[in-house]
Amino acid sequence: MTFAGCISAFEGFAPQNGGFGTNAEALHQLMIPLEDTAAAAASPASADDDIGERRLRRKISNRESARRSRARKQSHLDDLRSLAARLRGDRGELAERARAAQGRVALVQLANAELRAEAAALSRRLEVAASRALALNQLYAAAAGVGTFEQTLASLMV
């Protein structure tokens, strides 16, 4: 078989799956003539045939390697797409949780403002009650004779 015969067998390859495969029957036809190359090795033309066959095998090997590489790339791309979809879903879930947390924060801030207002009102009432208690205490002390009533009354007005 000559190099031209190998080329014609090589032309029998038909791309499958959009160029990602080979025609197995054409590959088998290509490999069968390679078995009888030992008998043709004695002639000088057989060296050219060997080189041609090696080139053809290398082409086939390179095509298969490229096909596997494309398949790996496609698989990696599919993995990345599924990861992106999952991350988009997670992002939506986290956004919903953040909105719920912001709602709870607003409620807590409102309750905190109400409690601060109530604490301020109670503090004012306590100051008034303390000043009244002090005034009563001074009046009782004046009535007991510790000081004059006029002095006690004057100290309360200041």
Side-chain angles (χ1 to χ4, degrees):
M1 178 172 174
T2 66
F3 181 68
C6 290
I7 295 299
S8 66
F10 182 70
E11 290 171 353
F13 280 95
Q16 298 172 350
N17 300 328
F20 290 109
T22 59
N23 185 342
E25 183 176 323
L27 181 63
H28 182 67
Q29 289 174 357
L30 179 70
M31 295 308 216
I32 291 175
L34 296 179
E35 295 172 355
D36 62 357
T37 58
S43 70
S46 68
D48 289 339
D49 287 347
D50 288 345
I51 291 172
E53 289 171 8
R54 276 189 244 138
R55 283 183 182 162
L56 186 57
R57 280 191 214 130
R58 197 174 328 124
K59 282 183 181 180
I60 293 168
S61 174
N62 287 347
R63 285 184 179 181
E64 287 299 313
S65 177
R67 183 192 58 77
R68 288 189 304 269
S69 177
R70 285 189 299 271
R72 279 192 307 270
K73 184 178 178 181
Q74 185 64 41
S75 173
H76 183 64
L77 186 60
D78 291 343
D79 291 346
L80 289 176
R81 284 181 178 151
S82 67
L83 176 63
R86 192 190 80 208
L87 290 174
R88 275 192 294 276
D90 290 351
R91 182 184 63 194
E93 182 181 320
L94 289 174
E96 180 59 34
R97 287 174 56 191
R99 281 190 293 276
Q102 286 173 342
R104 289 190 303 270
V105 164
L107 290 175
V108 167
Q109 287 175 337
L110 181 63
N112 193 17
E114 289 174 358
L115 289 173
R116 284 182 192 269
E118 186 179 345
L122 289 174
S123 178
R124 285 190 299 272
R125 284 181 60 192
L126 182 62
E127 287 176 8
V128 169
S131 67
R132 285 182 183 169
L134 180 62
L136 284 176
N137 203 6
Q138 288 175 350
L139 284 175
Y140 289 137
V146 175
T148 66
F149 182 73
E150 291 81 19
Q151 288 175 344
T152 306
L153 193 58
S155 69
L156 289 176
M157 290 185 193
V158 175

